[in-house]
Amino acid sequence: KFHVDVVPILVYGTTKYAAKCTPDENMWIESDPGKLTRWFNSKTDTEPTFRAQYLLMKRFAQMNGIKIPSIAIQKITSDAYVFKDSGSRYLRELLDMCRTALQNLNDPSYKLTNPVNDQEDIRKRIKDGELYRYKELIQNVIRSIERFSTNGSYADVVALFGDKFPVKESHERELS
């Protein structure tokens, strides 16, 4: 299933506005999708595994039926992202990022703002209960990676990432 977002954009002077239509109100809000694209591309250009971590977190949410805007996942991942070095283990980076993301989301002072418009609180875009479900998902990802690091069970990897990749005879212990 695919969907395409088509958002009417109004340019007034040098400022771009997007239509915001909800059951409660219709209005124009300041918006620049190109600015968000440039922000995201700059992150992926300078932070080697950011795109993969973001895509995994987005995929985990989709696989679990969690309806959270992509911009929220981008911001949460960006704020928690850590790149150690090119010799670092990917699961270790993902584990560290998830731990930091969960810590951020549980911190009442954490600001989940639009990365290109710090006046916009992205939490307002998230439906009731979905952020809680997303935090539970992150906790489950953490538990799955920790279990894998302890016993290296292929079943834990399949539970986390799905079964759409080939089974290998030996599995490297990622977190060792």
Side-chain angles (χ1 to χ4, degrees), residues 16 23 38 54 65-66 71 81 86-87 104 109 119-120 125-126 153 163 175:
K16 294 179 182 177
R38 288 187 298 278
Y54 157 69
I66 298 171
I71 192 172
Y81 177 81
S86 59
N104 288 347
S109 66
Q119 300 304 308
E120 181 189 357
R125 294 189 188 190
I126 303 170
S153 166
D163 61 359
L175 299 178

Side-chain angles (χ1 to χ4, degrees), residues 9-135:
I9 300 290
L10 169 71
V11 179
Y12 185 75
T14 58
T15 307
K16 294 179 182 177
Y17 297 88
K20 178 182 179 183
C21 303
T22 66
D24 301 327
E25 64 183 335
N26 295 320
M27 60 190 294
W28 292 96
I29 56 169
E30 192 171 330
S31 179
D32 187 347
K35 193 173 184 182
L36 182 62
T37 300
R38 288 187 298 278
W39 171 84
F40 184 79
N41 288 338
S42 75
K43 298 291 279 182
T44 61
D45 289 344
T46 59
E47 299 177 358
T49 57
F50 172 75
R51 181 187 308 260
Q53 287 187 9
Y54 157 69
L55 290 172
L56 274 174
M57 298 312 293
K58 182 176 173 67
R59 181 70 181 129
F60 292 155
Q62 290 171 337
M63 285 171 40
N64 288 278
I66 298 171
K67 306 226 183 280
I68 186 168
S70 295
I71 192 172
I73 298 172
Q74 289 172 356
K75 177 68 169 152
I76 291 164
T77 305
S78 173
D79 288 349
Y81 177 81
V82 177
F83 176 70
K84 300 199 181 315
D85 59 59
S86 59
S88 169
R89 300 287 188 211
Y90 183 75
L91 280 179
R92 169 60 66 190
E93 284 184 12
L94 181 62
L95 178 62
D96 291 346
M97 188 277 297
C98 286
R99 286 177 174 158
T100 302
L102 191 60
Q103 182 179 0
N104 288 347
L105 290 171
N106 286 327
D107 180 352
S109 66
Y110 173 65
K111 303 266 190 254
L112 185 54
T113 57
N114 183 323
V116 296
N117 177 4
D118 61 1
Q119 300 304 308
E120 181 189 357
D121 180 3
I122 299 173
R123 289 176 196 262
K124 292 179 181 176
R125 294 189 188 190
I126 303 170
K127 293 180 180 167
D128 289 342
E130 293 302 295
L131 191 57
Y132 176 79
R133 291 182 63 217
Y134 192 67
K135 288 192 297 187

Side-chain angles (χ1 to χ4, degrees), residues 1-4 59 62 67:
K1 244 182 178 179
F2 294 96
H3 81 273
V4 176
R59 181 70 181 129
Q62 290 171 337
K67 306 226 183 280

